[in-house]
Amino acid sequence: MPQNATAKARTCGNRGHVSTQGYDGELRSERCYVADLHRRLDAERARVKERYDAALLGTGGTALERDDEVRALAKEVKRLAVADNGLCFGRLDAVSGERSYIGRIGLFDEDDEYEPVLLDWRAPASRPFYVATAANPEGMRRRRQFHTRRREVLDFTDEVLGRPDGAERGDAALLAAVNAPRGEGMRDIVATIQAEQDEIIRLDHPGVLVIEGGPGTGKTVVALHRVAYLLYTRRERMERHGVLVVGPNPAFLNHIGRVLPSLGESDVVFMTPGDLVPGLRVTAEDAPEAARLKGSLKILDVLAAAVADRQRLPEEPLVVELGGVRGRIDAETARWAREEARTSGLPHNEARAVFAEIVTYVLTERAIARIGKDWLTRSDRESWERLRADLVKELAEDEAFTAALDELWPVLTPESLLSALYASPERLRAAGADQALWRADGDAWTVSDVPLLDELVDLLGRDKSDDRAAERRRQAETRYAAEVLDSLVGRQDSMDDEDHLFATDLLYAEDLADRVLERDTRELVERASADRDWTYRHVVVDEAQELSEMDWRVLVRRCPGRSFTVVGDLAQRRSPAGATSWGAMLEPYAPGRWAYRSLTVNYRTPAEIMAVAAAVLAEFAPDVTPPESVRACGVQPWSRQVGGDELAAAVAEFVRAEADREGTSVVIGPPGVPGAVPASETKGLEFDAVLVVEPEHILADGPRGWAELYVALTRATQRLGVVHQGPLPPALRGLVAVGAPATA
């Protein structure tokens, strides 16, 4: 069925007709229609579950084919499981008389040539539901929006389209959504997507799309809905590799983590920048100068020099016993070997084999000349090469030779090289690095270390001994499987060939080895999260203004196709290594392949709070226009001055008061305020009520203090208060003072 098909209305058995007995009759009719959709959904769930259960027990096809079928059906079970709440949220009436119902997923009438009875919100035919206005009706005459609770339609609102003097799209559903108390996580906006958001969600751009918007403009949730749309329209190309979503911290990822599953999409990996090297544990935070240095592309020269510094020449010749004679690895030999290894183009650990080969050649040539000086000449090539082979084998097993290689060309890991570099002023100087990178505990990893460690994976390469061992195990399993097959064939030689299939008719040694070896049955998200070399078809980067040039190198490795949705607000940048211009940051990685879109409407922050935040924005980014709030809440943001011994009590009073209200709240303050979190940990989050403590101290905490305060003030959706001991910054004069100023 084509995606732009139109659903036929079906109401309590009357196909294509909706009652016109007034609002109550219409409501009964719509409830009946939606109830029928839920019956269809339940039937489809039962069919898919039956197929899934059968696939688990199935015996047809290969093991790989059965696994693929089980995984595909498991995804379908999950997709159908999330569709209950808000299954159908609207209806479109076309000028032609056709009616289309819009919902989370598509449903079809199997008894009527698979006619759609519910259109997926991502289908092209659903687009007018989001973009049609009175002035530009998109061929529609009415938009109906349902207000539902679980499976029940509570009520609906209608908008008549196509009237020349009509207003733009009504905001009843939107205002109900933005005024509702916040829960534990971000909600999807599938029922209330606005026209400027829909344009971005459906934008057909193959490269990097930048979505910039101030606080509350919905840029994050728009990016997530864009992922759902891309998975719907490009599923075959994207699904096998999945999508990566990168957010600033675990709290943010937990906040947004329900949106895509609620839209039926599960093949999405969520990570912070600190998670991009699997297994690494970030335990420290860099000083601003160290973060700036690590984020710059100039650090690439430091890393290359640090690797080269570990490729040493001996100060004194290293002695190796070989064939009963004493050999020496001198500086000249090591220099030749080092030059050959470096010019091989191989990563450091792989180039060690080239280094070892040259050194081995020199040692064996010298040893052969001394061992056979009285009886062997080069004209006797067979004897010469036989002796060389014996000496090479002897060297490979010689601990002194291995120790010499380790001294001159050690096998390195990213962690061992970088931690030794940070902890040694001498090594930092040798690599041309700034001493600001020094730290006593080299293994105290920071987020800024992640791109450097990731870079070193490619500079160093891997120790091939693990790969060789794995290949030997594989060969051993194959030999074992072949022996098993031979045994089976021998047993069957005495059987009636017409009554028994030979084992070799069914299996080959490598097939059997595949069954003996453990197969990776993990889900895509688990496999991708653990694999540094996994590549994604699309990557979403939130709070992208915080990412450095080196961070972007990591992300581009994860997505060679350069398909990104980038979300951010340059005015909120905190990191000294972050972006000051989208073009300067992205053009080196996607030249001519990035597009920019902006969101201008604030759906989260009420006008009363935004007026205060806008005054702060003007202090540090006067050229930036604040987003326009879509609503007012009727509650003025307030400030209260307290004495030093009253601060904790004021915070506790706020917490108690909000505990009795529906919704969420947070206390934001500088380090040292009990019960407060820093503004940086609330980026991207939203709360019904926010208390900002000591704004002057936030401003004093680092060069980006104004941006920190701006973030803190714009987290609230309903109520904002400020508690302070000293005078307020002049930019906060728009707050309403409450209570008498306390004396110190």
Side-chain angles (χ1 to χ4, degrees):
M1 179 59 61
Q3 290 180 345
N4 62 353
T6 302
K8 288 185 177 180
R10 183 178 183 183
T11 309
C12 295
N14 294 325
R15 187 179 299 275
H17 174 71
V18 175
S19 170
T20 57
Q21 303 174 37
Y23 180 85
D24 290 341
E26 290 270 322
L27 181 58
R28 286 193 298 271
S29 179
E30 299 293 29
R31 284 173 173 170
C32 189
Y33 188 90
V34 172
D36 182 64
L37 292 177
H38 280 283
R39 284 192 292 271
R40 293 176 186 274
L41 175 65
D42 291 339
E44 181 65 14
R45 280 176 176 159
R47 283 193 294 270
V48 173
K49 184 62 166 60
E50 183 178 357
R51 291 173 56 202
Y52 174 72
D53 292 340
L56 289 175
L57 301 174
T59 57
T62 66
L64 184 60
E65 290 170 341
R66 292 197 298 274
D67 282 351
D68 286 344
E69 183 182 13
V70 167
R71 288 184 178 183
L73 289 170
K75 290 178 183 178
E76 184 66 6
V77 168
K78 290 180 181 179
R79 186 182 76 90
L80 295 173
V82 300
D84 253 334
N85 189 22
L87 171 63
C88 176
F89 48 78
R91 190 185 92 186
L92 277 174
D93 294 358
V95 174
S96 64
E98 292 180 305
R99 294 191 178 98
S100 305
Y101 285 82
I102 315 298
R104 291 182 175 275
I105 63 173
L107 292 176
F108 301 88
D109 188 345
E110 295 184 2
D111 298 330
D112 190 10
E113 299 180 347
Y114 281 86
E115 277 290 311
V117 292
L118 182 66
L119 288 178
D120 191 298
W121 67 274
R122 295 166 287 192
S126 299
R127 186 172 181 273
F129 184 78
Y130 300 110
V131 302
T133 64
N136 298 288
E138 301 279 335
M140 301 295 146
R141 65 179 183 84
R142 176 165 56 185
R143 172 175 41 230
R144 175 167 290 178
Q145 292 180 293
F146 299 137
H147 176 208
T148 63
R149 182 175 57 213
R150 293 182 289 277
R151 292 191 166 206
E152 182 184 4
V153 177
L154 300 180
D155 53 45
F156 66 80
T157 59
D158 280 344
E159 297 171 66
V160 178
L161 306 171
R163 293 179 177 175
D165 58 344
E168 292 297 300
R169 176 178 176 178
D171 290 330
L174 172 65
L175 291 175
V178 297
N179 282 317
R182 266 47 188 173
E184 294 181 359
M186 179 179 283
R187 297 168 293 192
D188 66 65
I189 58 170
V190 63
T192 59
I193 294 171
Q194 301 299 291
E196 71 168 0
Q197 298 172 329
D198 186 79
E199 178 189 354
I200 295 172
I201 290 169
R202 298 175 191 265
L203 185 65
D204 184 17
H205 179 72
V208 179
L209 173 64
V210 177
I211 307 173
E212 184 165 29
T217 53
K219 52 189 179 293
T220 296
V221 75
V222 166
L224 296 176
H225 282 68
R226 175 169 166 77
V227 168
Y229 176 76
L230 292 176
L231 284 168
Y232 177 79
T233 56
R234 307 176 189 176
R235 189 169 301 280
E236 185 175 345
R237 186 162 64 89
M238 295 180 64
E239 194 171 42
R240 292 185 66 85
H241 286 257
V243 172
L244 172 64
V245 176
V246 179
N249 54 59
F252 174 83
L253 294 181
N254 183 61
H255 179 65
I256 70 172
R258 302 177 185 179
V259 174
L260 284 167
S262 76
L263 299 173
E265 303 299 347
S266 57
D267 288 333
V268 180
V269 177
F270 293 88
M271 289 186 180
T272 69
D275 300 327
L276 291 169
V277 171
L280 187 74
R281 185 164 175 260
V282 172
T283 60
E285 184 175 350
D286 276 315
E289 179 61 10
R292 185 189 66 80
L293 291 169
K294 293 178 184 181
S296 169
L297 293 182
K298 295 178 182 178
I299 200 70
L300 293 173
D301 294 333
V302 171
L303 297 179
V307 174
D309 184 53
R310 304 299 291 272
Q311 300 162 357
R312 317 281 301 192
L313 301 179
E315 296 181 3
E316 298 291 337
L318 302 176
V319 177
V320 178
E321 294 287 341
L322 181 61
V325 300
R326 178 172 291 186
R328 300 191 316 163
I329 306 175
D330 53 29
E332 182 180 357
T333 298
R335 184 176 290 107
W336 176 28
R338 185 174 70 175
E339 184 64 23
E340 291 293 327
R342 285 178 174 177
T343 57
S344 69
L346 295 172
H348 169 87
N349 289 335
E350 297 174 32
R352 174 183 161 113
V354 178
F355 182 87
E357 182 180 15
I358 299 298
V359 174
T360 298
Y361 172 79
V362 172
L363 289 176
T364 55
E365 281 288 308
R366 292 174 179 173
I368 291 171
R370 294 177 63 187
I371 294 169
K373 65 179 179 179
D374 296 328
W375 58 272
L376 184 61
T377 65
R378 285 187 178 275
S379 60
D380 187 359
R381 297 304 303 173
E382 184 176 348
S383 297
W384 190 287
E385 293 302 330
R386 187 164 55 249
L387 179 55
R388 182 198 296 281
D390 291 340
L391 295 176
V392 169
K393 182 178 180 181
E394 182 180 340
L395 275 180
E397 298 172 353
D398 187 87
E399 292 182 358
F401 180 65
T402 300
L405 289 180
D406 289 342
E407 181 179 340
L408 301 177
W409 198 285
V411 173
L412 299 169
T413 66
E415 291 83 359
S416 66
L417 183 137
L418 199 58
S419 62
L421 176 67
Y422 288 151
S424 170
E426 294 77 15
R427 282 187 167 141
L428 286 171
R429 279 194 294 271
D434 194 301
Q435 290 296 316
L437 297 181
W438 179 87
R439 65 187 185 214
D441 185 357
D443 292 322
W445 302 117
T446 70
V447 172
S448 300
D449 290 327
V450 170
L452 279 62
L453 291 167
D454 193 69
E455 192 76 33
L456 285 169
V457 172
D458 289 343
L459 285 176
L460 298 176
R462 292 171 173 79
D463 182 1
K464 293 297 185 180
S465 60
D466 289 342
D467 295 340
R468 290 192 292 271
E471 179 59 25
R472 286 194 295 271
R473 288 195 300 271
R474 168 73 185 185
Q475 292 173 355
E477 294 287 358
T478 302
R479 287 195 298 272
Y480 169 77
E483 292 170 2
V484 172
L485 290 175
D486 288 342
S487 173
L488 291 173
V489 171
R491 292 181 185 179
Q492 289 180 331
D493 283 341
S494 60
M495 298 180 180
D496 185 349
D497 293 353
E498 295 182 359
D499 296 331
H500 300 276
L501 287 173
F502 285 101
T504 48
D505 292 331
L506 301 175
L507 295 171
Y508 292 94
E510 292 228 353
D511 294 330
L512 186 56
D514 282 338
R515 299 187 184 192
V516 174
L517 292 170
E518 183 178 353
R519 286 167 21 87
D520 192 343
T521 58
R522 294 173 298 170
E523 293 294 329
L524 181 146
V525 169
E526 188 178 0
R527 287 182 286 130
S529 300
D531 186 354
R532 180 263 177 185
D533 295 321
W534 189 277
T535 58
Y536 299 87
R537 284 291 183 263
H538 191 77
V539 176
V540 175
V541 186
D542 210 317
E543 298 294 342
Q545 74 277 354
E546 306 297 343
L547 299 190
S548 68
E549 294 172 309
M550 288 297 293
D551 289 324
W552 277 105
R553 286 178 65 87
V554 180
L555 294 174
V556 168
R557 288 192 194 97
R558 303 301 188 272
C559 188
R562 310 295 201 271
S563 179
F564 285 84
T565 299
V566 176
V567 179
D569 179 10
L570 295 179
Q572 295 186 55
R573 178 179 64 87
R574 177 177 181 265
S575 169
T580 56
S581 160
W582 297 118
M585 188 63 77
L586 298 174
E587 190 65 23
Y589 302 107
R593 295 190 64 237
W594 67 279
Y596 176 87
R597 295 292 186 275
S598 64
L599 293 169
T600 60
V601 179
N602 189 330
Y603 300 101
R604 176 178 69 216
T605 316
E608 295 90 342
I609 295 176
M610 198 60 217
V612 175
V616 171
L617 178 66
E619 291 289 332
F620 70 97
D623 296 332
V624 176
T625 302
E628 183 179 355
S629 296
V630 75
R631 67 188 174 100
C633 66
V635 179
Q636 291 297 323
W638 54 268
S639 67
R640 177 183 174 191
Q641 188 173 20
V642 297
D645 57 348
E646 298 175 318
L647 184 63
V651 172
E653 180 183 341
F654 168 83
V655 172
R656 283 195 302 272
E658 291 301 328
D660 295 332
R661 295 175 181 265
E662 186 179 4
T664 59
S665 63
V666 69
V667 178
I668 301 175
V673 176
V677 299
S680 58
E681 292 186 11
T682 66
K683 297 191 78 168
L685 306 182
E686 56 185 29
F687 306 88
D688 290 272
V690 172
L691 180 68
V692 178
V693 182
E694 297 286 36
E696 279 284 4
H697 292 185
I698 295 176
L699 292 179
D701 185 27
R704 297 295 297 174
W706 282 104
E708 291 280 273
L709 182 57
Y710 181 59
V711 169
L713 295 173
T714 54
R715 299 307 94 194
T717 66
Q718 303 290 343
R719 300 174 297 281
L720 171 68
V722 174
V723 173
H724 59 104
Q725 296 182 72
L728 278 177
L732 295 182
R733 64 173 61 93
L735 294 169
V736 176
V738 297
T743 58

